[in-house]
Amino acid sequence: MLSVVNDDGTTPNGSLIDEIVREGARRMLAAALEAEVNAYIAELADQRDETGRRLVVCNGYHQPRKVTTAAGAVEVKAPRVNDKRVDEATGERKRFSSAILPPWCRKSPKISEVLPLLYLHGLSSGDFVPALEHFLGSSAGLSPATVTRLTQQWQADHAAFMDRDLSEVDYVYVRADGIHLNVRLEEAKACVLVLVGVRADGSKELVALKDGYRESAESWADLMRDCARRGMRAPVLAVGDGALGFWKALAEVFPATREQRCWVHKTANVLDALPKSAQPGVKKAIQDIYNAEDRDHAVQAIKTFAKLYGAKFPKAVKKVTDDQEQLLAFFGFPAEHWIHLRTTNPIESTFATVRLRTKVTRGASSRTAALAMVFKLVESAQARWRAVSAPHLVALVRAGARFERGQLVQRPEAVAA
């Protein structure tokens, strides 16, 4: 592509050298995407239909899009794959997803996000330099010694984070989850305990992140005692799955906090107890419960659910009826917050890619290093978490305002009087 060069060596898009670098970056990225697609198609070349035609073929290109890289914004046309295979479990068409340029990607990954992913993929610090070439097109001056210094700094950052003062921060809502990654820590059954809080201004942020054993009550209690020691107030509502360890610990450390079971986890648990033929109908019935207009309608939906499925699937129905109060607690809060309080999804979505794509490493990884890497991933992800809807109502919840059918019926001033 020819460009007009001014007398001072500049072009309409900046200096000539910058334009050359951008063009080089565009070509490198295009070549990498082509190679990735070709490898994917070649690997599945033996997959054919009844007529002998290949099920996975190249199908032109996606619409061009601009991606911000270290060399500036470059326009990319990603190859498109026509994958006609069908997933037997879901009945849906399989899709090719580029590891180099995912559909949502509009900028190259930051080092702070790439290195933790590489570590959790099982790479050692000595493997990082060649691996980074896959993401950045060069080693970016990162020697193994530099990577080691970075990981040590991140371990120090995590330690400082877990020792910070919480007395000046007020978490009105908290979400809790135990994340099991395919990374061998020093304990074979270790998991990562995560607390995410909603501040009085409606913003979400990581509260605590620590390793635990099997999500046990003692592991959770140790984490929450530590938060209380550093000045954390009792949240008004805690959201989590049915893991008894967390709720037992919550009752010990913050007994005044109300409980809300996660509907995503509950739905999965109920469906696991059913034959596949019954799952679509039951899933719709469960959605009718948590999407109800108010608590009264939700209670009626539970009765309908029990009437329809109680005779055939008593164990599955019991999973809902036994936890009715905890499952419907969110109806006592602002209607604008219901969608945020029904699930621990922000935690789940943050770890989804890591959990699904990590491979078990050979030998045990360093506990402190692994936790530091998970911490950096969440730290990067929380910048993309959106605040709760109607954030001004969060402070009213803390002040003790009463809500019926999702609407404010008593202001804090009346409570104080």
Side-chain angles (χ1 to χ4, degrees), residues 13-211:
N13 297 320
S15 70
L16 182 58
I17 190 171
D18 287 338
E19 190 162 333
I20 292 173
V21 170
R22 279 194 295 272
E23 178 62 15
R26 185 193 66 79
R27 294 185 181 185
M28 288 175 61
L29 184 54
L33 292 172
E34 289 279 0
E36 182 186 35
V37 167
N38 291 338
Y40 180 80
I41 294 174
E43 183 180 351
L44 300 170
D46 60 332
Q47 301 286 316
R48 298 177 181 269
D49 60 15
E50 296 83 356
T51 63
R53 294 183 177 180
R54 295 169 70 169
L55 293 174
V56 184
V57 296
C58 190
N59 186 27
Y61 293 85
H62 291 284
Q63 289 295 319
R65 56 172 157 152
K66 287 190 175 181
V67 178
T68 302
T69 69
V74 297
E75 189 173 86
V76 178
K77 286 180 65 175
R80 185 163 49 195
V81 175
N82 184 11
D83 194 335
K84 299 178 182 178
R85 296 175 302 153
V86 177
D87 189 322
E88 295 181 0
T90 63
E92 298 179 353
R93 287 271 296 271
K94 293 187 177 181
R95 292 178 178 272
F96 166 76
S97 181
S98 172
I100 299 174
L101 189 69
W104 47 263
C105 183
R106 290 296 181 273
K107 61 181 180 179
S108 61
K110 301 175 183 177
I111 295 296
S112 60
E113 296 183 29
V114 173
L115 291 188
L117 276 172
L118 293 179
Y119 184 92
L120 294 175
H121 271 277
L123 297 183
S124 65
S125 59
D127 298 321
F128 282 1
V129 176
L132 283 172
E133 295 179 8
H134 171 74
F135 290 93
L136 307 175
S138 73
S139 60
L142 289 174
S143 65
T146 302
V147 172
T148 299
R149 286 195 296 271
L150 276 174
T151 57
Q152 289 174 346
Q153 178 59 53
W154 291 344
Q155 290 176 37
D157 291 346
H158 177 236
F161 175 81
M162 289 300 295
D163 199 38
R164 75 195 190 287
D165 182 19
L166 296 177
S167 61
E168 300 298 322
V169 186
D170 185 17
Y171 298 111
V172 181
Y173 303 132
V174 295
R175 291 182 174 91
D177 205 355
I179 306 299
H180 297 265
L181 301 175
N182 293 329
V183 179
R184 292 183 188 172
L185 299 179
E186 291 166 358
E187 290 287 346
K189 296 178 180 178
C191 65
V192 180
L193 308 181
V194 184
L195 275 183
V196 172
V198 176
R199 299 174 61 136
D201 63 0
S203 62
K204 301 170 187 172
E205 69 179 26
L206 179 65
V207 179
L209 186 150
K210 185 179 181 181
D211 60 332

Side-chain angles (χ1 to χ4, degrees), residues 19 60 68 79 120 126 133 188 203 264 272 315 330 351-352 354 399:
E19 190 162 333
T68 302
L120 294 175
E133 295 179 8
S203 62
V264 172
D272 283 345
K315 290 184 179 179
F330 71 93
F351 285 91
V354 181

Side-chain angles (χ1 to χ4, degrees), residues 220-236:
W220 276 113
D222 184 59
L223 175 62
M224 286 188 283
R225 288 192 206 104
D226 182 63
C227 290
R229 175 187 62 80
R230 291 183 282 130
M232 179 176 168
R233 294 179 63 185
V236 176

Side-chain angles (χ1 to χ4, degrees), residues 33 73-74 89 119 123 153 157 197 219-220 238 247 264 269 278 286 290 303 308 330 337 342 359 393-394:
L33 292 172
V74 297
Y119 184 92
L123 297 183
Q153 178 59 53
D157 291 346
S219 294
W220 276 113
W247 301 113
V264 172
N269 291 338
I286 291 176
Y290 63 73
K303 292 179 180 178
L308 289 174
F330 71 93
H337 296 174
R342 294 192 296 241
K359 297 179 180 179
L393 295 177
V394 180

